[in-house]
Amino acid sequence: MADGGSKSTKGKPKRKTAKQKRADQEERRPYLSRRASEVNNEYGISDLLIDIGRRISTAEDLDSALEMMTEMMSVELQADRSTLFLNDPQSEELFSRTAQGEQRREIRILNDSGVAGHVFQSGASVAIKDAYKDDRFNRSIDEQTGYKTKSILCVPIKTVSGHTIGVAQVLNKIKGDKPVAFSEADLVLLEAMTTQAAVALQNTQHLEYMEKKSAEEMEFLDIVSDVTSEIDLSKLLNKVMGEATRLLNAERSTLFLNDEKTSELFSMVGAGLDTIEIRLPNHLGIAGTVFTTGESINIPHCYADLRFNPAFDKQTGFFTRSMLCTPVINKQSKVIGVTQVLNKRGGPFTDEDEQRLKAFTAQIAIGLENAKLFNDVQNMKNYSESMLESMSNAVVTTDEDGKIVTCNAAGYRIMKIENEEDVVGKLASDFFDGTNAWVMDNITKVDETQVSDVFMDAELEFGDEKVSANVTVLPLVSSEEKKLGSMVMIEDISSEKRMKSTMSRYMDPGLADQLMSGSESQDFLGGRSAVATVLFSDIRSFTTITETLGAQGTVQFLNEYFTIMVDCITDEGGMLDKFIGDAIMAAFGMPVAHDDDEDRAVRAAIKMITDLEVWNVKRREQGLMEIDHGIGLNTDNVVSGNIGSPKRMDYTMIGDGVNLAARLESACKQYHAHLLISENTFAKLKGTYRIRDIDDVVVKGKTKPVRVYEVLDYHTDATFPNLMDGVNHFAEARKHYRAGDWDKAVRSFKEVLKINPADALSDTYIERCDHLKAENPKDWDGVWVMKSK
């Protein structure tokens, strides 16, 4: 092929229109008729045309017909090359085929491009003596192939009715060994040859089309039959995607189904253990648009369409050229999913492709719904089985005939059963007999009344062992209220479990778990040393509160306050050690350690402050006094154990680490803070918090300084605007303060106050700087000594 595009004709004489050229040809028709007679005599054209008609009509298929015709064109017109293009009305392209061994190569160009496109659109023949001087010629094809096109003869292929079905094009006539221009007689001859072959070519093309359609329909039915026989959803989705890709000669396809529970479109890619589920909101993107509107979208050039999101291509390296997306609609005309096909080979997707994809998805919709239903049922079954197997309680189910159908792992363990046949398949009346016959009596009662029954702290006997248990008997019914059988649940509450349950009411559940574990219980009851983060909290102005509320009101107030605070501590895995009046002492990492106990303690403390504020809002609405408290955290080695006398023991913690946490809680008042942590806790934090370094201090009773930090994450924009700017200025001020540069320190603290005038700690530091500036200590090291606890 030597022709595939057109060039700009700006600045050159305007060509005649196709209508004008046809008029010129009509004027020349008498001349051409006379010339045809001359050519007939010269070439023996009558015999040639008869031979063309005979050979084309006997061609086995369109490829053979095209090959015969191009061969005859080259021979009869002494051309170096020839091509016969037929029009594809669906893609609006001219196509030609050439055989390369056993492979068939198809060439396609737009039917309005280049010399061939011009001839097809105008219906007028052209003879070009010098191709490179004609604007319609596309020389890039020569540049790609290395072939040199000199002369071109191109005529339309028209039926008897005058309908143009293609174009015949011959290149470079050679007479002897020399290239010569095509003559008008050549043009007449080529027109005569194509006219003679037109009907046969059209019939052959139509026959090929019908055979192709018939084969496609048979293939379509086979595909639908094969696909709809699959009930495994993952396999079905992969099979549908594979067949859709092959059916439309595309590179990729994806079938999304709608998940009504999550309002997401999902698909499964891969097979077996490698299956990956893809999910996206069912209203976003092109797939979401197709799902919500129920209308197909055909995008021939994705990157030229604003609806296309190229992000997925960037992530995967795949290049999406064209896309066809159609809704999957069931028999009730409900959209249940979307099929998306990408990159048709050989050009964009056609209207016929869209119709085929719609027909395909309509046929498989029933299979998809069945597979989805089967998948949902299977998931529910797996969920139910997993739930039963993971339960610590025994679960036994019976059918409507009283036979035991299932028994979970806990049931085998609690009821001392070794083999499945010892329980499954047996009548419940045979299994629950003897001393356990009361269970069967209650199964019968529940079956008759269809009302569940519970028996607390009942006694069952399995083998030689007696089991204390809570037994629940429930009726099983279908959605249509039909009896299905019964369920028996047995919760083992033997002495160990009862003791553990009782102990958990009086101490932390984690401590109770370790106490009940047996082997290590004496170690930590007798005393053990471990790293823990200790939390102290204390209510501010508690004396005033008690005077206001009185005895009963104070008790009620503390119960409400402690309930809120303890929930914050236990939610993060902390252990409540004790209440000391209105104070709380708790630990993180005792007796059960975690790798992030410091973060757990900080998160719990922050929540204690924010939850207290929520409670204060309610108290304000009720006209009650607001509550404030301070919290101190320190991480250190502490000693824990059962401490006391033989008559009264208390599991608690002692040590310097506990004392420092108490000192930090008390220091909250001096630093106008709500949450202070030591350098030990700060160094071990894994999370990111809004924290500022507030002092290097020697607390009461200690000689070594400790760096203290304030956690500010409980603040809002209203309580501390531009918080991080304030933190940065405060850090700058602390740097000058430690260096003894009092004036610079004061200026930086004032910058903090500009940001947050309510920051009382900055005011405190300004007063401290003024005091130190007046005293001008010679041995200043940045450490402040606390005078009180």
Side-chain angles (χ1 to χ4, degrees), residues 213-505:
K213 287 298 167 189
S214 177
E216 287 176 350
E217 292 304 320
M218 292 302 295
E219 180 187 26
F220 181 80
L221 293 175
D222 290 341
I223 290 171
V224 170
S225 176
D226 180 50
V227 167
T228 53
S229 64
E230 181 63 67
I231 60 172
D232 183 284
L233 185 60
S234 177
K235 292 180 181 178
L236 177 59
L237 290 174
N238 278 285
K239 189 175 285 188
V240 169
M241 288 186 282
E243 295 298 350
T245 302
R246 188 166 63 87
L247 198 65
L248 270 64
N249 193 26
E251 292 182 7
R252 284 189 184 182
S253 66
T254 308
L255 173 60
F256 291 101
L257 292 179
N258 183 48
D259 186 338
E260 294 184 349
K261 295 179 182 178
T262 62
S263 297
E264 292 176 316
L265 294 173
F266 73 92
S267 185
M268 298 177 184
V269 180
L273 297 176
D274 296 326
T275 300
I276 300 173
E277 187 173 84
I278 301 170
R279 284 182 173 266
L280 54 98
N282 65 9
H283 64 285
L284 296 181
I286 293 173
T289 301
V290 171
F291 176 77
T292 53
T293 63
E295 300 292 332
S296 299
I297 293 179
N298 187 350
I299 304 177
H301 306 290
C302 288
Y303 278 82
D305 194 295
L306 295 177
R307 295 170 296 183
F308 176 70
N309 182 2
F312 188 74
D313 278 10
K314 291 179 181 178
Q315 293 175 8
T316 62
F318 184 76
F319 182 77
T320 305
R321 298 187 305 276
S322 57
M323 177 188 296
L324 175 60
C325 196
T326 63
V328 181
I329 303 174
N330 64 12
K331 282 188 174 181
Q332 289 73 40
S333 300
K334 179 182 178 181
V335 180
I336 63 171
V338 169
T339 304
Q340 185 173 275
V341 190
L342 307 178
N343 293 2
K344 181 176 181 179
R345 294 181 174 88
F349 294 101
T350 64
D351 291 340
E352 182 183 356
D353 292 329
E354 183 178 331
Q355 295 305 316
R356 293 196 75 199
L357 187 57
K358 281 184 176 179
F360 178 61
T361 54
Q363 290 296 320
I364 63 170
I366 297 175
L368 287 170
E369 288 196 309
N370 289 341
K372 191 170 181 293
L373 179 61
F374 176 79
N375 187 68
D376 291 342
V377 171
Q378 192 65 37
N379 286 340
M380 189 178 298
K381 179 175 180 291
N382 294 339
Y383 175 80
S384 299
E385 289 177 352
S386 298
M387 182 177 65
L388 287 174
E389 291 304 309
S390 64
M391 290 179 68
S392 59
N393 297 340
V395 179
V396 177
T397 62
T398 67
D399 61 18
E400 55 186 326
D401 297 324
K403 283 186 177 181
I404 296 176
V405 180
T406 62
C407 177
N408 68 344
Y412 285 90
R413 175 176 50 80
I414 293 172
M415 297 186 293
K416 317 302 178 190
I417 301 168
E418 294 184 0
N419 302 310
E420 182 178 336
E421 57 268 20
D422 292 337
V423 58
V424 175
K426 295 186 69 173
L427 287 171
S429 57
D430 293 338
F431 184 77
F432 293 109
D433 60 356
T435 57
N436 299 333
W438 63 270
V439 178
M440 187 62 224
D441 294 338
N442 285 283
I443 292 174
T444 303
K445 176 186 171 184
V446 169
D447 183 63
E448 292 173 354
T449 62
Q450 292 295 292
V451 177
S452 60
D453 208 349
V454 179
F455 305 90
M456 304 299 294
D457 199 9
E459 190 172 273
L460 292 167
E461 189 172 329
F462 299 110
D464 298 331
E465 295 186 26
K466 291 184 179 181
V467 176
S468 295
N470 295 331
V471 180
T472 305
V473 183
L474 303 97
L476 297 177
V477 295
S478 68
S479 57
E480 292 82 18
E481 299 298 323
K482 181 182 177 182
K483 292 182 181 180
L484 299 177
S486 302
M487 176 187 290
V488 180
M489 297 182 64
I490 303 172
E491 179 189 6
D492 183 3
I493 53 166
S494 58
S495 58
E496 180 180 324
K497 183 175 284 189
R498 283 201 304 273
M499 184 184 297
K500 178 181 173 181
S501 176
T502 302
M503 290 175 64
S504 295
R505 297 183 182 181

Side-chain angles (χ1 to χ4, degrees), residues 702-713:
K702 295 292 180 182
T703 57
K704 291 184 179 181
V706 176
R707 179 157 292 183
V708 181
Y709 297 82
E710 182 184 11
V711 180
L712 302 167
D713 286 72

